[in-house]
Amino acid sequence: MKLFSFVLTLIFLPFVAWAEDSRFDSYDAYERFIDDKIMSRDFIPLINNMGGKDEYTPEQMRGVNAQLLNAMPFDFTDTALIKRVDLGNGFSQEMRAYWNKRTSYVYFYAFLHQTEDDLIVLKFNLNTNSEKIFGKF
């Protein structure tokens, strides 16, 4: 039970993303990247490219990845944008859901800023508890 609790704690951690790597040429490029990495459970590039590479040593990242893979043991087959809120001046927030036939779900939250040149992910969360994500709206 302690391991499960520890895994869930890691999944609940918010990630502050604002870094050069968290920039995308377009919303479509961001969406393709997020969907590809989450659906295939490719968490190391997801965290690294969203600004988390400075938060963990390579060893810690491998540990976080193993725990995420353990908590979400199967690739996701479906995705949907559940909620998107325009906050004005190019800022927005959104919630995405990912699931599979085993009814395993994960929820993704992003706080975004669309500039003239690119889309910046300022903050993101990955969570198995939808209430934690809905609570951000």
Side-chain angles (χ1 to χ4, degrees):
M1 187 64 166
K2 285 184 180 180
L3 177 61
F4 181 70
S5 191
F6 181 66
V7 168
L8 289 180
T9 299
L10 285 174
I11 294 169
F12 295 159
L13 285 177
F15 297 95
V16 177
W18 194 62
E20 195 62 36
D21 294 336
S22 64
R23 294 175 181 267
F24 294 88
D25 292 337
S26 66
Y27 182 85
D28 289 341
Y30 151 80
E31 183 177 45
R32 279 190 307 275
F33 176 81
I34 297 301
D35 287 349
D36 176 61
K37 297 306 176 199
I38 294 175
M39 291 181 82
S40 65
R41 298 173 310 122
D42 196 5
F43 297 119
I44 290 175
L46 173 72
I47 294 168
N48 281 339
N49 291 345
M50 299 291 282
K53 71 181 169 189
D54 296 332
E55 302 295 318
Y56 300 101
T57 66
E59 183 177 289
Q60 289 171 322
M61 184 65 78
R62 285 189 297 276
V64 168
N65 186 59
Q67 291 165 357
L68 289 169
L69 290 172
N70 188 44
M72 297 170 249
F74 304 103
D75 286 354
F76 297 99
T77 55
D78 297 288
T79 183
L81 177 63
I82 302 298
K83 187 170 188 174
R84 181 172 167 87
V85 178
D86 181 352
L87 302 170
N89 296 313
F91 291 93
S92 64
Q93 61 181 357
E94 66 179 36
M95 175 184 182
R96 296 176 170 279
Y98 297 87
W99 67 95
N100 57 40
K101 292 179 172 116
R102 291 176 172 84
T103 62
S104 177
Y105 292 87
V106 69
Y107 306 93
F108 177 82
Y109 168 85
F111 175 45
L112 307 166
H113 186 222
Q114 179 68 58
T115 68
E116 289 181 23
D117 300 323
D118 46 23
L119 178 73
I120 304 166
V121 180
L122 298 170
K123 183 176 182 180
F124 75 100
N125 285 74
L126 189 62
N127 204 307
T128 56
N129 182 338
S130 64
E131 292 303 315
K132 298 288 185 181
I133 302 298
F134 274 119
K136 297 182 176 303
F137 291 89

